[in-house]
Amino acid sequence: LSGAATLALAQAPIKIGFMAELSGPQGALGQDQYDAFMMVVERNGGKLGGVPVTVLREDSQLKPEVATQIVDKLIEKDGVPIITGVTFSNVMMAVHKKIVDKEVFLIGSNAGPAPIAGAQCSPFSYVVSWQNDNQAEVVGKYATDKGYKRVIGMAPNYQAGKDFVAGFKFFFNDTATTEIYTPLNQPDF
C-alpha cells in the first residue's frame, strides 16, 4: 500500500503557470513561446521530465499591474510551483520579487532584465534567454574599435530598452551618446 500511494503521489500533475503577452501587437511573441512550450509538453505525452503537467495559460497584456494580479492568482489560488513564459522585461521586473520571495520557481523564457542578474539574483529564478545588456555590449565595443565619436541610442522606454543602452555605453568609450526613449508601443519612428 505504501508503494502504491507513493507511485500515485509521484504521478500527480504539477501545475505550471504560463504567463506571457498573448494579445495586442506583442502577442505574437508570447503566442510563439506558448506554442513551442506546449509542443514539447504534447510530444512528451503531457509530461516534462517524465512528470505529468497541467499548464495554466494567462495573458499579462503587457501590463505589469495585470501580471501581478495573475501571479497572485497562480500562486495563492492555483498553487503553482513554477511560473514561466514572461516575455517583456517591464513585466518581469514587476513580478520577479513577488514570485521568488514565495519560493516559486520563475523560468523566464525571453525577458532578461539586468537588475535580476545582480543583487536581485535568486536561486528560484532562471532566465533561459539572455541578459538584456549583454547583447548591446558587443555593439558598444565594435563602435569603440571603429572609432565612432557620436552615437544616438534609441530604445523603447522600459527596462529592456534602458538595459540595451546601458550595455552599449558599458564598452563605448566616448561620452557623446545621446539617449532617446520612445513609448514601448510606438510602431512608427
Side-chain angles (χ1 to χ4, degrees):
L1 275 173
S2 173
T6 302
L7 181 60
L9 182 61
Q11 292 301 309
I14 292 178
K15 292 180 186 177
I16 298 174
F18 187 97
M19 179 181 68
E21 290 64 47
L22 299 168
S23 60
Q26 307 80 0
L29 180 56
Q31 189 62 51
D32 284 351
Q33 292 173 326
Y34 177 75
D35 291 345
F37 184 72
M38 292 309 297
M39 181 178 67
V40 172
V41 171
E42 290 165 10
R43 283 189 177 173
N44 288 297
K47 296 179 180 182
L48 292 175
V51 178
V53 296
T54 300
V55 179
L56 307 173
R57 180 179 180 257
E58 298 284 350
D59 180 7
S60 70
Q61 304 168 31
L62 192 59
K63 297 178 182 173
E65 65 278 7
V66 170
T68 57
Q69 292 171 2
I70 290 170
V71 164
D72 288 341
K73 176 191 162 293
L74 288 171
I75 293 172
E76 295 167 15
K77 181 179 179 254
D78 298 322
V80 301
I82 300 169
I83 295 176
T84 190
V86 180
T87 312
F88 281 78
S89 293
N90 57 330
V91 172
M92 177 68 87
M93 290 303 295
V95 301
H96 180 267
K97 183 169 176 34
K98 181 177 276 235
I99 294 170
V100 300
D101 282 357
K102 297 279 186 171
E103 298 186 355
V104 170
F105 288 99
L106 173 58
I107 303 171
S109 57
N110 188 64
I116 67 170
Q120 294 183 51
C121 187
S122 167
F124 290 95
S125 176
Y126 184 77
V127 175
V128 300
S129 56
W130 50 74
Q131 185 177 318
N132 294 339
D133 52 355
N134 291 153
Q135 298 176 46
E137 288 175 357
V138 69
V139 180
K141 174 78 168 97
Y142 177 81
T144 297
D145 290 351
K146 286 294 195 180
Y148 296 152
K149 298 295 178 201
R150 294 176 46 206
V151 174
I152 295 176
M154 185 167 73
N157 190 14
Y158 80 118
Q159 185 66 49
K162 292 175 183 179
D163 286 347
F164 273 89
V165 171
F168 176 84
K169 289 172 66 175
F170 186 79
F171 281 107
F172 185 62
N173 294 332
D174 201 305
T175 58
T177 302
T178 301
E179 298 175 26
I180 299 172
Y181 294 98
T182 63
L184 179 57
N185 291 322
Q186 182 173 333
D188 183 14
F189 300 98

